[in-house]
Amino acid sequence: MKLAIGSDHGGFELKQEVLQHLKERGFEATDYGCFDGKSCDYPIYSAKVCEAIKNGAADLGILICGTGIGMSMAANKEPGIRAALCHDVFSAKATREHNDANVLCMGARVVGPGLALMIIDTFLDTDFSGDERHLRRIHYYS
Ligand code: RB5
């Protein structure tokens, strides 16, 4: 599975830990920036990660900012993107099973690295259920 990951300055440090974790798990993950802790605009990096998913360069995306909120708002404006803001493991599992979410958003100022990695693992290890009722509901907005 190919992954695309992006952050703004608020998520930059957590993203370094996430990248290391993904490498240890054997995932192929492309970092679309930002590449340092200088103040920057999260929609730029949301757009890059979403484009990677839309053009097939990545299967799933991870976006991290301070709260995760700006990233999720920006990502959900993109056709074909179903971005889920998750700060707990239950939501990360449910959004893959029910919503077929293709982008996980998190806030580095909300969760610590331990929980963030558990949320990411759950998101990546859970498949969409494929149930007709979920497909029907997703088609309302996809
Ligand atoms: C940056 O200060 C902060 O606004 C951003 O990381 C994010 O939380 C926006 O939603």
Side-chain angles (χ1 to χ4, degrees):
M1 187 196 300
K2 287 178 293 177
L3 305 176
I5 185 164
S7 76
D8 71 354
H9 54 290
F12 176 72
E13 272 187 36
L14 176 58
K15 185 178 64 178
Q16 306 318 303
E17 296 199 41
V18 171
L19 282 165
Q20 180 62 33
H21 179 72
L22 295 175
K23 194 174 163 189
E24 283 165 13
R25 283 208 52 192
F27 285 108
E28 185 188 326
T30 303
D31 183 2
Y32 287 87
C34 64
F35 297 109
D36 58 40
K38 280 198 294 256
S39 182
C40 60
D41 297 342
Y42 59 81
I44 293 170
Y45 305 101
S46 168
K48 287 174 192 273
V49 165
C50 291
E51 181 54 33
I53 293 168
K54 289 192 289 184
N55 70 23
D59 304 299
L60 294 175
I62 299 170
L63 288 169
I64 308 171
C65 63
T67 60
I69 296 170
M71 285 294 200
S72 63
M73 288 178 166
N76 276 315
K77 298 285 184 194
E78 306 260 1
I81 298 299
R82 293 175 300 281
L85 175 59
C86 298
H87 290 131
D88 65 275
V89 168
F90 175 83
S91 299
K93 183 170 163 61
T95 198
R96 286 289 303 126
E97 287 177 343
H98 293 205
N99 314 119
D100 197 16
N102 51 13
V103 175
L104 170 66
C105 301
M106 288 190 304
R109 296 173 188 157
V110 183
V111 288
L115 179 55
L117 297 183
M118 284 181 72
I119 291 168
I120 287 170
D121 283 344
T122 302
F123 186 84
L124 298 179
D125 294 343
T126 305
D127 291 325
F128 176 48
S129 71
D131 289 351
E132 191 281 329
R133 71 184 191 285
H134 294 312
L135 276 169
R136 185 180 70 240
R137 291 163 188 162
I138 290 166
H139 284 146
Y140 278 83
Y141 54 85
S142 285

